[in-house]
Every structure is written in C-alpha cells, then in structure tokens.
Amino acid sequence: MSSRLTQALEFHSQALLLRAERQKVLASNIANADTPGYVSRDFDFRSALSQATAALPAEPAGAATARPPGAVLPAATHPGHAGAAAGGPGARVDSTVLKYRVTEQPSLDGNSVDLDRERANFADNAVRYEAGLRFINGTVRTILSAIRGE
Amino acid sequence: MSLMNVFRISGSAVSAQSQRLNVVASNLANAEAVAGPDGQTYKARQVVFQSQPTPDGSAGVRVASVVEDSAPARKVFEPAHPMADTEGYVAQSNVNVVEEMVNMISASRSYQNNVEVMNTARSLLQKTLQMGL
C-alpha cells in the first residue's frame, strides 16, 4: 500500500537523479573550457530516463498478493539483488552512456567545448531540475493532505 | 550525490584559472625586467591545463605544468644603461604584454563562469534540502 502511495514519487526521483548527473557532466564541460584536447560530452536524457524508469517495479500490488501472508522480504543490500530495482541500478550514468558533442566551430587545440551552448544547457538543466523538485513537493503535499484529511 | 561533485569539478577549474591569473600577473610584473637574480632575463611563463577524469565520466581540470616561453629576449637600444652590451642593446624579458592581457581576460571570464556554475549548484542543493517541506 505504501509503495502505491509513493509510486508517483519514484519516477520523479529517478528524473531528479539524472538531472543532477547531467548537471555534473555539464559542469565538467564548463570547467574544461580552456583545456587543450578536451572533448565536450553529454548524454541523451530521454533514453537515459526511459532506461532508468524501466528498472522500476511495474506492478507492486500484484507482487504483494502473490506473496503468502506474513512473508518477510529479503533485504536487498546490493543493486544486483532481486527486488532491489527502485533507486538501485536505475538512475546511474556510466561513461558508456556519455556521448561526444559535435562542435560547429572546431578549435586549433582540439578543444570542442562551445561555452555558450554549455551555459545554455546548464541553465536549462537547472530549471528542469527545479521543476522536478516542484513535482515531488506537489506530490508530497497531496499525500500529506490525504493523510490528514484536511 | 552528483551535485556535490559539481563543487569539486568547478572548484578545480577555479583553482586552475586562478593559478593562470597568478602566472599572468607575474609575467606582466616582469614585462620590463632586465635581469632576474640569476643574471638571466625573465622568460614568460604559461600554464598547461590538463583534464582530470574521474571514474564516473566527468572531469575536473588541473595545471599539469608551467612552461617557459622560448622566444628570444627583447633587445632595447639603450647605450647609457649599465647592462647594455657592446652595441648598446639591453636584453629585456620576452613577455608579450598584449598576449598577457588577452590571457588575463580569458582567465577571469572562465573563473566567473565556474563561480556561476557553483552558485547554481548551491541554490539547487538548497532547494533539494527543503524538499517536501
């Protein structure tokens, strides 16, 4: 029951984790704007999010009815454990997902950071992160008002 | 928490850029210098940036080395100078003042960019801490 209550939060928390991850990647692009030979990197947010949310438990209610009453769930202490999907391997971006950005104005020292574009992406990502936070806050407020019955 | 890593990444960049600014200041201060304590003319110094990759795919930046400019010393005709050679020329440092000014502006802009990044990350983290309130 409680998992159904917080099911809406799971998606937004995954999105928020990915936004924070992208913020970090963009920050390292801006940090290396003057480093010779550095190639600008980013990842496709849409595919990363769909990959992360695919790992979420699809139907927690069905699994609960299949379990005998009084059964104790084994503790999932590792992302590879069964039932450790939520928050585990989901929102993780490893270096294989990161792609190299194609630059429009290549520079002589091999650096492919377009600072204007990175700044724009950074601001855009920050706003979307805040939007994700608002979604979570709204959901929490809705759940709380349902609990209180106000 | 990847937003915490933003401070590490941007912090490394800010530190590297301030070191670059230090080198520029040293070059500009010695632009007219005739000889250092070792009797040699001052050579312009430049920092070499190198990205510092982390296992999670992001990268900070560090100053790999400070190299000396190999351009020849500037000769100024000053026969009355005590350090003038037999033809009346004085060897001054090989600092290009215009280049250094451009370097300074570039370093200061990069510094500001990274401070801006840290400010954004800070405000996002603050809002995250207030989540659900």
Side-chain angles (χ1 to χ4, degrees), chain A residues 7 33 40 46 57 77-78 87 116 142 147:
Chain A
Q7 204 173 6
S40 183
R46 178 198 291 262
T77 54
H78 187 271
D116 301 321
T142 309
I147 291 171

Side-chain angles (χ1 to χ4, degrees), chain A:
Chain A
M1 185 58 199
S2 69
S3 66
R4 194 180 271 183
L5 250 184
T6 57
Q7 204 173 6
L9 283 173
E10 296 285 356
F11 175 79
H12 290 305
S13 73
Q14 296 289 324
L16 210 62
L17 280 173
L18 278 175
R19 283 286 169 212
E21 199 72 30
R22 180 152 189 252
Q23 201 79 348
K24 188 188 68 184
V25 172
L26 294 176
S28 73
N29 285 347
I30 293 176
N32 282 288
D34 292 325
T35 311
Y38 179 84
V39 272
S40 183
R41 288 192 290 185
D42 202 351
F43 62 87
D44 183 14
F45 189 82
R46 178 198 291 262
S47 63
L49 184 59
S50 61
Q51 200 184 337
T53 49
L56 291 178
E59 195 50 74
T65 49
R67 214 179 300 132
V72 181
L73 268 180
T77 54
H78 187 271
H81 286 170
R92 200 61 53 83
V93 177
D94 55 5
S95 45
T96 54
V97 184
L98 288 176
K99 297 193 173 71
Y100 297 117
R101 207 193 290 290
V102 179
T103 177
E104 278 151 19
Q105 302 175 65
S107 62
L108 214 55
D109 62 355
N111 185 299
S112 74
V113 178
D114 183 348
L115 208 50
D116 301 321
R117 188 178 281 189
E118 299 300 339
R119 282 291 300 266
N121 279 334
F122 191 83
D124 173 77
N125 201 55
V127 171
R128 284 171 201 271
Y129 184 92
E130 277 199 63
L133 273 178
R134 293 219 177 168
F135 281 132
I136 291 180
N137 282 339
T139 312
V140 168
R141 223 161 277 147
T142 309
I143 293 172
L144 280 181
S145 71
I147 291 171
R148 292 196 190 113
E150 286 162 355

Side-chain angles (χ1 to χ4, degrees), chain B residues 43-57:
Chain B
K43 294 246 191 294
R45 285 149 170 81
Q46 305 292 347
V47 291
V48 178
F49 285 164
Q50 195 178 50
S51 68
Q52 221 177 0
T54 52
D56 57 356

